[in-house]
Amino acid sequence: MAEKDIPTQYDPAAAEKRWYPEWVKRGYFHANASSDREPYCIVLPPPNITGRLHIGHALDHTIQDVLIRRARMQGYEALWLPGTDHAGIATQVVVERALREEGIERREMGRDAFVERVWAWKERYGGEIVEQMKALGNSCDWDRLRFTMDEGLSYAVRVAFVRWYEQGLIYRGERLVNWCPTDRTGLSDSEVEHEEVDGELITFRYPFAEGYDFIEVATTRMETMLGDTGVAVHPGDERYEAWVGNRVRHPLDGREIPIVADAAVDRDFGTGAVKVTPAHDPNDWEIAERTGLPRMNIFNADATLNDNVPEEFRGLDRYTAREKVRDRLAEKGLIVKEQRPYRHAVGHCYRCKSEIEPWIAGMQWFVKVGPLKGPAKEAVAQGRTRFVPPRWERPFDTWLDNLRDWNISRQLWWGHRIPVWYCPNGHETVATEDPAKCAECGSAEIEQDEDVLDTWFSSQLWPFSTLGWPEATGDLKKFYPTTALVTGYEILYLWVARMIMAGLSLVEKDRTRTGDHIPFERVVIHGLVRDGHGRKMSKSLGNVIDPLDMIEKYGADALRFALARMATPEQQNLPLSEASIEAGRNFANKIWNAARFVLQADGKPELPERSRLSVAERWLLSRHHACVTAVNSALDADDFAGAGQSLQRFLWSEFCDWGLEVEKRRLAGDAKQDAANTLAWVLERTLRLLHPVMPFVTEEIWQRMGPGESIVVAEWPEPIPDLADKEAEAEFAAVQGIVTEIRQLQAGIPRELAKAVALDEGMREDSEKWLEDIRLLTGAAASFEKLDGIRVALRIPGGTDLAPVVDRLSKKLQDSESKLERKRKKLSNEGFTSKAAPEIVEKERTEAGELEEEISRTAAQIRQLGG
RNA sequence: GGGCGGUUAGCUCAGGGGGAGAGCGCUUCCUUGACGCGGAAGAGGUCAGAGGUUCAAAUCCUCUACCGCCCACCA
């Protein structure tokens, strides 16, 4: 028999190498837009091309692959569309760093050469990422692989821009932007991370231009006082009423600046007077807009001080300047109070973590979000797009409410260049194709905007640009709206919200499958992978788990199972330890060996006629049915952990621990083919159920069982209600009870036997027919002296110390007695018997009866053991 | 300053009104013809604390404490 050669250990690497290319070659992952099957589509959140996939991707991808593989087996036209993101800032920074190591500066090499280098990077790392996804087993449609800077997607970006421009949703303006002095670009509000830091709040005096009075103001950013162009107080503040309109003298550069009144000032904070730095604070910017204070920019692009400040401060970085300004004011006796540490929130760049500087970076393009919010809120409120878990809906709503216009200009080279051309006469030409001349005056001296678009501008189009939008393609018609979007909560706002707004605004309803232009019907929001102790994984902590290392060490299935096993819909932290991946490996091996056993018994996945089934087999089928039901309902609820747990329980604790063991006896007798076939049938069907989570080991076994072409395209198991068998479950549960009881007695009693103990007063009537099974399951065939009817006997050698066994039994007796006590009390409580549901009362009665039986049995056992 | 989540066995977490569960770890035993990446039997928990609702609370409600996260232009 060839099966004899099956190794006792599953070899993941061999299976992965064998099956993945085969699946791709056979085209299983390719979706057909013209098929008449129901569509099921997921677009992969495109990983950045900045480097390797990390464990978070592995989780994200595992979930998606489980969904898409199940859908494929269920007969849907399943499309999982993969791709990568150009990731503007992130990639530019990484490439710049790499160049710097070669001693090359970006600005020296020029824009075109630099962009060329980034493309080379993309070719290399983009390709690596695809290989990594394949190693995980992702069943993506590689024929549809996309990149955000593809020709098609770039065109979609231009069309989106032009359309919004024409609708007045995109405008240009000079505003204060979130400037990252390290990356030297502006950022949107969503790209700024607020973090509490310890600073100091310093109160100082502005002396009046005339006379000896002064006004006190406070700041955490002393250096910005060099750019102050006014002091503001609340209009109704009687303390300062008389001073409004007066002027104070700037103590460091001698400028006279006015005191103004503005309602934005909180009179209860600090002194009730605020220094106003319009060019470097959003609040102050607005005050200046209202009061007419001038703007005075004091920073260079790298946040060093520029020539607008007194000479001694020029060129200093902001932190050095902060101290120096304080020192100068202290020397002049103008510092009133220094409060430190003073905790306050400071914005940081989401990429490089530098402190953000509000700065005027010239003209910037903005998206007007007001008109986009409403439809997005409505789509979620109406459940056209469903959030899983739904508790994210409220924060999503609040976030939209507070959303302000979106700055989309980035002072970078890598990305989609803004499709606007300026002519010397001050006209703007906005076009999807590069124009040769100004659309308004015909001037040929046009120049394209130097900036590129925010990365998220192209990402927001992903669910439809990848399907061919703006063209009315077959893919769009077939697969849009997509079925599910799977992502971590960290980019819910940054990305998901924008896709919803963009889809609703841009996609034409009549080009979609359902007539609704929402980008996805459901958003599955999973948690973040942490280390085994719930800490964030980071290089500095040294607790990073690299998915590819894990695949190499334990196999892709092991990693996938470990990840799926912890992905409950509610959890936001998902602690992953190497031990849990090892457990996944062990599980794969367990299944492997179970299959080996079934194959050695020559099992064929065919179910014998019901009349030929043993009670144990009926029990196994019933449990299998329960597993199919549980897995289906868990997956319907996006509860991957629940599905994994059900599968593991059934296969390990039921199929292997009881099913295979009890079948060993039948396998040695006349019914052996029926027994082997039943096992094979259950195993084969359960393998299909497990396949989406553990694609490789299931395929490897399935191929050896030979029921068809590939498990990838096998039919998904749905519950078969006829398999549910309450009688068989009850009877087998009783047998399990007897077996466990005997095992408990055996523990601590050596095999060499002398003393016979009659165990079983009043045991279940039909236990006789199970005696052979019980012998086998307790592994104690030789130890049974006689088994007449309801009596089970054990022989124990003389001189055996029975005290531990008796102790254990005594403890069990006590437990049972106190349990019984509680039940009796409950049952004698009239409140309970009259108010509780009748079936609950009945259940309590039954259980009390069972406890009584157990108590007398245990007591008898203690007596027989001489306790 | 708003909001959300968490607190259950040594560790990491399920459970979500009527018998405290899993995996890992730990103890003892088992070279039983699928698997030692295995099998069997165990030890270990006033389910954070206080109050309330209920015949019945780990589970529902209120408050408190601690942990974590998200949002936020109060100098």
Side-chain angles (χ1 to χ4, degrees), chain A residues 117-153:
Chain A
R117 280 297 293 257
V118 187
W119 273 106
W121 171 283
K122 182 263 164 185
E123 289 312 321
R124 181 170 160 208
Y125 289 96
E128 261 184 39
I129 286 166
V130 166
E131 289 314 306
Q132 290 162 3
M133 293 197 244
K134 290 179 175 175
L136 252 177
N138 291 3
S139 64
C140 302
D141 185 349
W142 299 112
D143 301 337
R144 285 183 168 86
L145 181 68
R146 295 287 186 273
F147 176 57
T148 46
M149 282 174 68
D150 273 354
E151 203 179 324
L153 273 63

Side-chain angles (χ1 to χ4, degrees), chain A residues 49 91 95 113-123 414:
Chain A
I49 52 164
T91 309
V95 176
F114 178 76
V115 168
E116 209 170 294
R117 280 297 293 257
V118 187
W119 273 106
W121 171 283
K122 182 263 164 185
E123 289 312 321
W414 175 242

Side-chain angles (χ1 to χ4, degrees), chain A residues 204-223:
Chain A
F204 68 97
R205 289 171 179 171
Y206 265 118
F208 274 52
E210 283 162 30
Y212 298 96
D213 256 332
F214 53 81
I215 190 162
E216 292 179 359
V217 295
T219 183
T220 53
R221 299 203 48 201
M222 206 65 211
E223 74 282 13

Side-chain angles (χ1 to χ4, degrees), chain A residues 23 106 119 236 834:
Chain A
W23 292 333
R106 163 172 71 106
W119 273 106
S834 63

Side-chain angles (χ1 to χ4, degrees), chain A residues 6 157 194 244 258 349 357 370 375 381 466 520 553 644 683 713 719 732 789:
Chain A
I6 303 175
V157 163
H194 291 272
V244 174
C349 171
E357 193 60 55
T466 53
F520 17 76
K553 206 161 162 191
L683 178 63
V713 289
F732 197 74

Side-chain angles (χ1 to χ4, degrees), chain A residues 202-477:
Chain A
I202 298 176
T203 308
F204 68 97
R205 289 171 179 171
Y206 265 118
F208 274 52
E210 283 162 30
Y212 298 96
D213 256 332
F214 53 81
I215 190 162
E216 292 179 359
V217 295
T219 183
T220 53
R221 299 203 48 201
M222 206 65 211
E223 74 282 13
T224 61
M225 68 86 66
L226 294 170
D228 283 358
T229 59
V231 172
V233 298
H234 193 88
D237 193 333
E238 36 323 307
R239 291 173 296 179
Y240 300 118
E241 225 164 340
W243 289 355
V244 174
N246 286 359
R247 302 178 80 81
V248 296
R249 185 173 306 283
H250 196 285
L252 297 181
D253 65 13
R255 281 178 296 129
E256 280 185 23
I257 60 177
I259 296 173
V260 298
D262 191 275
V265 179
D266 178 356
R267 57 181 119 180
D268 297 324
F269 185 91
T271 61
V274 187
K275 61 189 270 308
V276 183
T277 324
H280 303 292
D281 182 282
N283 271 325
D284 295 359
W285 171 276
E286 282 171 20
I287 291 176
E289 292 275 283
R290 288 188 291 263
T291 59
L293 291 178
R295 303 167 195 161
M296 178 178 175
N297 180 9
I298 60 164
F299 287 116
N300 297 309
D302 60 355
T304 56
L305 290 156
N306 66 17
D307 293 349
N308 290 334
V309 302
E311 203 169 342
E312 64 168 325
F313 301 106
R314 287 178 198 166
L316 298 180
D317 77 45
R318 44 191 169 158
Y319 305 108
T320 314
R322 187 170 301 171
E323 287 174 27
K324 190 156 188 177
V325 169
R326 188 193 54 203
D327 292 347
R328 285 289 171 273
L329 291 180
E331 285 162 18
K332 291 176 187 283
L334 295 171
I335 304 273
V336 181
K337 193 171 130 199
E338 300 184 37
Q339 185 184 336
R340 76 191 100 163
Y342 183 79
R343 279 193 85 67
H344 62 130
V346 174
H348 294 78
C349 171
Y350 81 131
R351 281 293 155 204
C352 73
K353 312 299 176 196
S354 308
E355 282 186 19
I356 291 300
E357 193 60 55
W359 196 57
I360 302 163
M363 295 297 269
Q364 308 271 312
W365 288 94
F366 294 86
V367 173
K368 194 192 275 183
V369 296
L372 299 172
K373 290 181 185 183
K377 291 179 63 160
E378 195 182 82
V380 173
Q382 293 174 339
R384 289 187 284 140
T385 288
R386 209 157 47 81
F387 282 25
V388 179
R391 70 181 148 82
W392 285 104
E393 284 172 16
R394 203 145 63 96
F396 174 83
D397 218 53
T398 315
W399 182 82
L400 276 180
D401 284 340
N402 297 329
L403 185 62
R404 290 178 300 163
D405 284 359
W406 173 19
N407 171 214
I408 50 172
S409 290
R410 293 293 174 277
Q411 288 66 46
L412 304 170
W413 286 349
W414 175 242
H416 300 99
R417 195 141 167 200
I418 292 177
V420 180
W421 288 260
Y422 308 100
C423 81
N425 301 320
H427 304 133
E428 290 168 7
T429 303
V430 178
T432 56
E433 305 294 337
D434 290 10
K437 54 185 180 15
C438 175
E440 218 159 312
C441 66
S443 162
E445 290 173 57
I446 51 171
E447 282 193 30
Q448 186 170 7
D449 195 299
E450 289 294 318
D451 293 344
V452 300
L453 288 164
D454 182 1
T455 295
W456 302 98
F457 192 91
S458 58
S459 311
Q460 70 177 343
L461 313 176
W462 188 251
F464 41 98
S465 62
T466 53
L467 293 172
W469 185 90
E471 308 304 330
T473 60
D475 272 8
L476 199 63
K477 188 76 188 176

Side-chain angles (χ1 to χ4, degrees), chain A residues 508-788:
Chain A
E508 300 80 358
K509 285 185 181 175
D510 60 349
R511 294 185 180 178
T512 70
R513 169 169 58 90
T514 58
D516 194 343
H517 48 171
I518 46 163
F520 17 76
E521 292 169 339
R522 131 175 155 266
V523 185
V524 179
I525 302 155
H526 58 245
L528 259 37
V529 182
R530 302 300 178 108
D531 78 356
H533 295 280
R535 295 173 308 179
K536 205 166 180 167
M537 283 190 195
S538 72
K539 276 178 206 146
S540 53
L541 277 171
N543 60 352
V544 174
I545 294 182
D546 181 337
L548 293 151
D549 290 350
M550 293 300 108
I551 290 170
E552 201 178 317
K553 206 161 162 191
Y554 302 106
D557 287 340
L559 175 64
R560 294 167 61 113
F561 188 76
L563 290 166
R565 193 66 189 72
M566 60 188 193
T568 61
E570 290 298 328
Q571 270 289 108
Q572 36 182 301
N573 282 343
L574 309 174
L576 179 79
S577 60
E578 188 162 339
S580 67
I581 302 166
E582 200 178 332
R585 188 268 319 259
N586 294 353
F587 181 45
N589 196 236
K590 183 76 181 176
I591 301 162
W592 177 256
N593 279 290
R596 213 160 59 88
F597 178 73
V598 173
L599 288 168
Q600 277 168 1
D602 201 25
K604 301 273 180 299
E606 292 158 14
L607 199 57
E609 269 177 49
R610 193 179 165 79
S611 60
R612 303 220 303 266
L613 295 173
S614 70
V615 174
E617 284 157 2
R618 281 164 47 207
W619 166 84
L620 183 63
L621 291 168
S622 190
R623 295 311 304 151
H624 164 72
H625 170 254
C627 175
V628 174
T629 308
V631 169
N632 272 293
S633 62
L635 290 179
D636 287 343
D638 295 311
D639 177 8
F640 307 95
Q645 177 176 294
S646 295
L647 282 158
Q648 189 173 21
R649 278 254 174 91
F650 172 69
L651 277 169
W652 202 313
S653 308
E654 298 185 315
F655 185 82
C656 289
D657 290 350
W658 290 97
L660 288 187
E661 294 304 327
V662 77
E663 286 300 272
K664 280 177 182 170
R665 193 173 69 80
R666 286 196 105 208
L667 285 167
D670 294 343
K672 82 180 204 201
Q673 196 58 49
D674 280 353
N677 287 359
T678 306
L679 289 174
W681 188 87
V682 170
L683 178 63
E684 187 276 330
R685 220 162 166 268
T686 313
L687 286 176
R688 278 189 267 149
L689 210 56
L690 180 63
H691 175 258
V693 184
M694 302 181 97
F696 294 107
V697 70
T698 49
E699 177 77 304
E700 186 68 29
I701 297 169
W702 204 81
Q703 290 291 337
R704 290 170 197 252
M705 298 184 86
E709 185 184 319
S710 164
I711 196 168
V712 175
V713 289
E715 192 185 328
W716 176 256
E718 297 292 344
I720 303 174
D722 282 352
L723 294 180
D725 193 332
K726 280 216 158 63
E727 293 75 39
E729 291 220 24
E731 190 172 337
F732 197 74
V735 173
Q736 288 177 304
I738 297 168
V739 169
T740 303
E741 213 164 89
I742 294 173
R743 284 171 175 169
Q744 284 167 348
L745 277 165
Q746 282 177 327
I749 300 179
R751 281 301 172 88
E752 315 75 50
L753 314 160
K755 185 181 173 186
V757 182
L759 296 175
D760 210 14
E761 305 298 337
M763 211 177 249
R764 298 81 172 164
E765 307 80 51
D766 55 354
S767 57
E768 189 171 9
K769 76 181 206 202
W770 288 97
L771 286 178
E772 288 306 314
D773 299 289
I774 292 169
R775 278 186 177 168
L776 181 78
L777 289 165
T778 54
S783 70
F784 288 115
E785 186 179 59
K786 70 175 180 178
L787 296 155
D788 71 4

